[in-house]
Amino acid sequence: MPSSSPRTEARLLVAAALALAACNDPARPAPTGPSPTLAPAPAPGVAPAAPPGRGAQVFVDVSESIRGFTSARSVALQTLHGQVIEASLSALQLNNPFQRCAVDTAVHCEAPQLTAQQARLPATYRGGYSALHLALRRPPRAPRADLQQPDPLDPYNVTVLVTDGFQSTSTPFQPGASGDVACTAGADPSCLAALLRQRVEEGYGLWVGRLILPFDGRYFAERRLDAPMWSRVTQHVAALNTDPQWNGVHFAASSPAMTGESGAFRWQGARPLLLFVLTRDIPRGRQLVAEMERRLAVERFTLRQSPADVAFSEWSPFEGLTARVLNAARNESGGAADSVIVDRPVRQGETMVIPARCDVHGQARIRLDGVIQFGPMPPPPIASVSLTWQSPTPLDGFFLMPREPMRTVPGPFTVRTGIDCRQLPPGTRDYAFGLFGQWTVNPAALAAEWFTTGSAETSYDSPEKVFGLADLARTVLAAGVNRQGYLDRVTLRVTRQ
């Protein structure tokens, strides 16, 4: 490997210093959210963050609703599990140990474990429903260590969950509910959103993928159907069969169960399969997703065998923006400015301290030079970032806050602060300020993402989409994106002689 350049070493030093920037200053105000340069902090009452575990596990939804992806001729699910997921884990040496667990009304990790070959068999998928929350939910804290149930995720470096969607319950979506409340009715979108949000808040990276696969089998609306609802289904099928997006794909819906609560009917055409990837090891998570995408492009077992059938998105951690003040100097010379002396700045922890001396005649602007850098992944369109110069404490009129607008683009920046010593009393005083970042979800960008456009509003009329996916995504993404805090801090230490 070639030796790193001075510029690369500088970038590494900047990133390392900024990773400490939001947690070591005893004088900082209480944050309203995790620092933009750090992974989200654990939520109150949650166990302390654990380091990445070892190996990998795969949870496989084996409910009957998956059976339509299988057939006597199709090896799509075997290829997905064997040649994409398991092979990618092996290529990155994440498969020691490795286990594949089946999920129906319970989680089955005991031997003999589900094999990739069994994943293609229709008989494998016999569960009435899939209790996905059992694969994600952190067990309650036990009164004694010997009674504590193990967490389903923490012991492993990587967890992959494969499912076709979520339960449809009578409970409306609850974006702010805890897992204990949201999962009372089952693994519906509210429940999964709450559990995934908690994992994001604990520091897990989260990636979500969607594969469009051929489907011919029973689809379960999980609610009683009536004649108007079935009419909506048939009208939707007619619209799909004339939609250019689905050229070459024939959709059909038939044999509805108009009694009972399953709302089952035969669906032919396309359906999505979802992959959730969770890990505390963010770089490895990104490598794994990239490797799976590469293998999916080679295997080409999706419906149209085109890039449109495969989509992956990172839902957390969005840490790709750092900023650093590197130097400070007096902006001009002559007149009252010559009565201000700016000494060499000193970096003290997360703060750049700029010593300055002046007499009663001093008045000058001070130039700050710095740099904004993107991390391994720049902020995506769904994450809007704004940067402003702010102070954690009120400042008097003898100090000038930088007023230059800050753009969220990588590269150098220059701003100017200043002091007016003409009315300052003798002595030393500190003026503390910093570059403040605020991250928010961009609604327009969110509306254009595949997990929004591919979300169904009802559980019955659009089986080619995922019921409740947009609500789930919006809730989880807000936990990963919404944050604010100081990216870098400056103290102008003025001594009036």
Side-chain angles (χ1 to χ4, degrees):
M1 178 180 295
S3 60
S4 59
S5 67
R7 177 175 295 180
T8 301
E9 293 175 356
R11 288 177 176 171
L12 293 174
L13 289 172
V14 167
L18 286 170
L20 300 173
C23 55
N24 295 329
D25 185 357
R28 66 182 296 202
T32 57
S35 164
T37 62
L38 299 176
V46 174
R54 293 180 56 250
Q57 63 180 342
V58 179
F59 291 112
V60 184
D61 181 343
V62 294
S63 61
E64 189 179 349
S65 63
I66 302 287
R67 190 178 299 174
F69 291 110
T70 67
S71 71
R73 300 181 305 275
S74 174
V75 295
L77 295 187
Q78 177 179 338
T79 304
L80 170 63
H81 286 283
Q83 302 304 315
V84 176
I85 298 175
E86 193 169 347
S88 296
L89 291 167
S90 177
L92 296 177
Q93 299 182 348
L94 289 169
N95 61 340
N96 186 21
F98 172 80
Q99 73 172 9
R100 186 184 287 111
C101 305
V103 184
D104 47 29
T105 57
V107 177
H108 307 280
C109 298
E110 64 277 1
Q113 293 184 8
L114 182 68
T115 66
Q117 291 75 19
Q118 289 172 318
R120 65 171 291 188
L121 302 177
T124 297
Y125 304 97
R126 295 179 293 183
Y129 63 89
S130 185
L132 300 175
H133 59 300
L134 300 180
L136 297 172
R137 194 172 187 176
R138 186 176 291 279
R141 190 182 296 267
R144 299 202 322 258
D146 60 319
L147 299 177
Q148 182 64 51
Q149 294 181 336
D151 181 79
L153 270 62
D154 282 348
Y156 291 87
N157 189 305
V158 174
T159 295
V160 181
L161 189 153
V162 182
T163 183
D164 65 335
F166 325 110
Q167 286 181 251
S168 172
T169 67
S170 59
T171 305
F173 188 79
Q174 307 171 74
S178 67
D180 292 338
V181 173
C183 295
T184 303
D188 62 10
S190 289
C191 171
L192 270 294
L195 297 179
L196 291 172
R197 183 187 67 225
Q198 179 179 337
R199 293 296 180 173
V200 167
E201 291 170 346
E202 292 171 358
Y204 274 88
L206 172 61
W207 296 260
V208 183
R210 180 215 60 198
L211 311 179
I212 301 296
L213 299 178
F215 189 91
D216 185 355
R218 295 180 72 194
Y219 173 79
F220 297 86
E222 297 182 332
R223 59 178 298 174
R224 186 182 296 270
L225 297 178
D226 57 25
M229 294 165 68
W230 184 245
S231 178
R232 286 184 59 174
V233 175
T234 57
Q235 291 174 21
H236 182 66
V237 168
L240 288 175
N241 284 327
T242 59
D243 187 342
Q245 176 187 352
W246 296 105
N247 279 345
V249 181
H250 176 71
F251 289 89
S254 59
S255 306
M258 306 299 281
T259 60
E261 301 301 324
S262 73
F265 57 90
R266 184 181 180 187
W267 179 258
Q268 296 168 280
R271 282 202 66 215
L273 199 66
L274 299 178
L275 280 69
F276 292 86
V277 178
L278 296 103
T279 177
R280 297 184 189 276
D281 190 343
I282 307 303
R284 298 289 271 177
R286 288 173 176 154
Q287 291 173 352
L288 175 62
V289 170
E291 180 66 14
M292 289 196 296
E293 288 187 278
R294 186 188 70 80
R295 291 178 180 271
L296 284 166
V298 172
E299 298 295 340
R300 300 176 68 86
F301 58 82
T302 56
L303 176 65
R304 293 164 293 190
Q305 300 185 9
S306 72
D309 286 341
V310 179
F312 277 85
S313 293
E314 179 174 304
W315 284 9
S316 177
F318 305 114
E319 85 287 53
L321 177 67
T322 57
R324 183 79 155 175
V325 175
L326 302 176
N327 193 30
R330 197 174 65 195
N331 191 70
E332 60 268 315
S333 299
D338 289 343
S339 295
V340 177
I341 306 298
V342 178
D343 294 322
R344 182 185 298 274
V346 178
R347 177 63 66 171
Q348 295 182 356
E350 67 171 278
T351 302
M352 174 70 86
V353 179
I354 305 170
R357 294 170 286 135
C358 61
D359 60 25
V360 72
H361 304 292
Q363 184 183 20
R365 293 188 303 168
I366 297 172
R367 188 183 73 248
L368 305 180
D369 298 315
V371 65
I372 292 175
Q373 292 183 320
F374 285 169
M377 292 187 67
I382 59 173
S384 297
V385 189
S386 64
L387 301 177
T388 56
W389 293 92
Q390 297 185 18
S391 173
T393 58
L395 299 173
D396 60 36
F398 309 120
F399 167 81
L400 175 66
M401 182 73 73
R403 297 175 179 173
E404 289 88 348
M406 296 293 297
R407 300 173 58 207
T408 54
V409 294
F413 66 82
T414 296
V415 298
R416 291 161 183 83
T417 181
I419 51 174
D420 184 347
C421 300
R422 293 175 298 177
Q423 300 182 50
L424 276 180
T428 300
R429 62 180 57 205
D430 286 350
Y431 294 97
F433 60 104
L435 186 57
F436 191 84
Q438 186 164 14
W439 295 53
T440 56
V441 174
N442 182 331
L446 185 64
E449 291 286 348
W450 64 264
F451 42 80
T452 301
T453 59
S455 177
E457 295 184 1
T458 76
S459 63
Y460 60 89
D461 67 355
S462 303
E464 84 286 0
K465 298 182 179 182
V466 180
F467 168 62
L469 181 60
D471 288 333
L472 181 148
R474 190 180 305 109
T475 299
V476 178
L477 283 166
V481 172
N482 291 343
R483 66 188 80 176
Q484 58 185 19
Y486 286 95
L487 278 74
D488 200 14
R489 294 173 178 269
V490 178
T491 295
L492 180 58
R493 184 158 294 160
V494 181
T495 300
R496 218 286 269 148
Q497 299 169 334

